[in-house]
mmCIF file with all atom_site columns, all heavy atoms in Angstrom:
data_model
loop_
_atom_site.group_PDB
_atom_site.id
_atom_site.type_symbol
_atom_site.label_atom_id
_atom_site.label_alt_id
_atom_site.label_comp_id
_atom_site.label_asym_id
_atom_site.label_entity_id
_atom_site.label_seq_id
_atom_site.pdbx_PDB_ins_code
_atom_site.Cartn_x
_atom_site.Cartn_y
_atom_site.Cartn_z
_atom_site.occupancy
_atom_site.B_iso_or_equiv
_atom_site.pdbx_formal_charge
_atom_site.auth_seq_id
_atom_site.auth_comp_id
_atom_site.auth_asym_id
_atom_site.auth_atom_id
_atom_site.pdbx_PDB_model_num
ATOM 1  N N   . LEU A 1 909 ? 13.293 -10.749 16.446 1.00 0.00 ? 935 LEU A N   1
ATOM 2  C CA  . LEU A 1 909 ? 12.075 -11.492 16.116 1.00 0.00 ? 935 LEU A CA  1
ATOM 3  C C   . LEU A 1 909 ? 11.910 -11.649 14.599 1.00 0.00 ? 935 LEU A C   1
ATOM 4  O O   . LEU A 1 909 ? 11.480 -12.706 14.128 1.00 0.00 ? 935 LEU A O   1
ATOM 5  C CB  . LEU A 1 909 ? 10.854 -10.776 16.690 1.00 0.00 ? 935 LEU A CB  1
ATOM 6  C CG  . LEU A 1 909 ? 10.503 -11.181 18.104 1.00 0.00 ? 935 LEU A CG  1
ATOM 7  C CD1 . LEU A 1 909 ? 9.389  -10.294 18.662 1.00 0.00 ? 935 LEU A CD1 1
ATOM 8  C CD2 . LEU A 1 909 ? 10.023 -12.635 18.145 1.00 0.00 ? 935 LEU A CD2 1
ATOM 9  N N   . VAL A 1 910 ? 12.234 -10.603 13.874 1.00 0.00 ? 936 VAL A N   1
ATOM 10 C CA  . VAL A 1 910 ? 12.097 -10.687 12.408 1.00 0.00 ? 936 VAL A CA  1
ATOM 11 C C   . VAL A 1 910 ? 13.069 -11.756 11.888 1.00 0.00 ? 936 VAL A C   1
ATOM 12 O O   . VAL A 1 910 ? 12.715 -12.581 11.045 1.00 0.00 ? 936 VAL A O   1
ATOM 13 C CB  . VAL A 1 910 ? 12.345 -9.298  11.754 1.00 0.00 ? 936 VAL A CB  1
ATOM 14 C CG1 . VAL A 1 910 ? 12.376 -9.419  10.236 1.00 0.00 ? 936 VAL A CG1 1
ATOM 15 C CG2 . VAL A 1 910 ? 11.225 -8.346  12.173 1.00 0.00 ? 936 VAL A CG2 1
ATOM 16 N N   . LYS A 1 911 ? 14.283 -11.732 12.419 1.00 0.00 ? 937 LYS A N   1
ATOM 17 C CA  . LYS A 1 911 ? 15.279 -12.742 11.993 1.00 0.00 ? 937 LYS A CA  1
ATOM 18 C C   . LYS A 1 911 ? 14.722 -14.143 12.311 1.00 0.00 ? 937 LYS A C   1
ATOM 19 O O   . LYS A 1 911 ? 14.784 -15.035 11.469 1.00 0.00 ? 937 LYS A O   1
ATOM 20 C CB  . LYS A 1 911 ? 16.582 -12.543 12.752 1.00 0.00 ? 937 LYS A CB  1
ATOM 21 C CG  . LYS A 1 911 ? 17.446 -11.447 12.186 1.00 0.00 ? 937 LYS A CG  1
ATOM 22 C CD  . LYS A 1 911 ? 18.771 -11.400 12.921 1.00 0.00 ? 937 LYS A CD  1
ATOM 23 C CE  . LYS A 1 911 ? 19.894 -10.840 12.077 1.00 0.00 ? 937 LYS A CE  1
ATOM 24 N NZ  . LYS A 1 911 ? 21.184 -10.918 12.753 1.00 0.00 ? 937 LYS A NZ  1
ATOM 25 N N   . ALA A 1 912 ? 14.176 -14.294 13.525 1.00 0.00 ? 938 ALA A N   1
ATOM 26 C CA  . ALA A 1 912 ? 13.701 -15.611 13.922 1.00 0.00 ? 938 ALA A CA  1
ATOM 27 C C   . ALA A 1 912 ? 12.546 -16.083 13.052 1.00 0.00 ? 938 ALA A C   1
ATOM 28 O O   . ALA A 1 912 ? 12.434 -17.239 12.671 1.00 0.00 ? 938 ALA A O   1
ATOM 29 C CB  . ALA A 1 912 ? 13.253 -15.552 15.387 1.00 0.00 ? 938 ALA A CB  1
ATOM 30 N N   . CYS A 1 913 ? 11.694 -15.123 12.710 1.00 0.00 ? 939 CYS A N   1
ATOM 31 C CA  . CYS A 1 913 ? 10.542 -15.424 11.891 1.00 0.00 ? 939 CYS A CA  1
ATOM 32 C C   . CYS A 1 913 ? 10.999 -15.964 10.528 1.00 0.00 ? 939 CYS A C   1
ATOM 33 O O   . CYS A 1 913 ? 10.458 -16.942 10.007 1.00 0.00 ? 939 CYS A O   1
ATOM 34 C CB  . CYS A 1 913 ? 9.743  -14.152 11.765 1.00 0.00 ? 939 CYS A CB  1
ATOM 35 S SG  . CYS A 1 913 ? 8.248  -14.303 10.879 1.00 0.00 ? 939 CYS A SG  1
ATOM 36 N N   . ILE A 1 914 ? 12.032 -15.330 9.971  1.00 0.00 ? 940 ILE A N   1
ATOM 37 C CA  . ILE A 1 914 ? 12.536 -15.748 8.654  1.00 0.00 ? 940 ILE A CA  1
ATOM 38 C C   . ILE A 1 914 ? 13.167 -17.157 8.752  1.00 0.00 ? 940 ILE A C   1
ATOM 39 O O   . ILE A 1 914 ? 12.976 -17.984 7.875  1.00 0.00 ? 940 ILE A O   1
ATOM 40 C CB  . ILE A 1 914 ? 13.542 -14.689 8.141  1.00 0.00 ? 940 ILE A CB  1
ATOM 41 C CG1 . ILE A 1 914 ? 12.755 -13.421 7.749  1.00 0.00 ? 940 ILE A CG1 1
ATOM 42 C CG2 . ILE A 1 914 ? 14.352 -15.238 6.957  1.00 0.00 ? 940 ILE A CG2 1
ATOM 43 C CD1 . ILE A 1 914 ? 13.582 -12.189 7.561  1.00 0.00 ? 940 ILE A CD1 1
ATOM 44 N N   . ARG A 1 915 ? 13.855 -17.398 9.857  1.00 0.00 ? 941 ARG A N   1
ATOM 45 C CA  . ARG A 1 915 ? 14.524 -18.706 10.032 1.00 0.00 ? 941 ARG A CA  1
ATOM 46 C C   . ARG A 1 915 ? 13.500 -19.827 10.054 1.00 0.00 ? 941 ARG A C   1
ATOM 47 O O   . ARG A 1 915 ? 13.850 -20.975 9.791  1.00 0.00 ? 941 ARG A O   1
ATOM 48 C CB  . ARG A 1 915 ? 15.330 -18.702 11.326 1.00 0.00 ? 941 ARG A CB  1
ATOM 49 C CG  . ARG A 1 915 ? 16.613 -17.962 11.216 1.00 0.00 ? 941 ARG A CG  1
ATOM 50 C CD  . ARG A 1 915 ? 17.481 -18.214 12.423 1.00 0.00 ? 941 ARG A CD  1
ATOM 51 N NE  . ARG A 1 915 ? 18.320 -17.056 12.650 1.00 0.00 ? 941 ARG A NE  1
ATOM 52 C CZ  . ARG A 1 915 ? 18.185 -16.185 13.629 1.00 0.00 ? 941 ARG A CZ  1
ATOM 53 N NH1 . ARG A 1 915 ? 17.222 -16.341 14.520 1.00 0.00 ? 941 ARG A NH1 1
ATOM 54 N NH2 . ARG A 1 915 ? 18.977 -15.171 13.703 1.00 0.00 ? 941 ARG A NH2 1
#
Side-chain angles (χ1 to χ4, degrees):
L935 272 173
V936 172
K937 280 185 153 184
C939 182
I940 289 165
R941 283 191 209 108

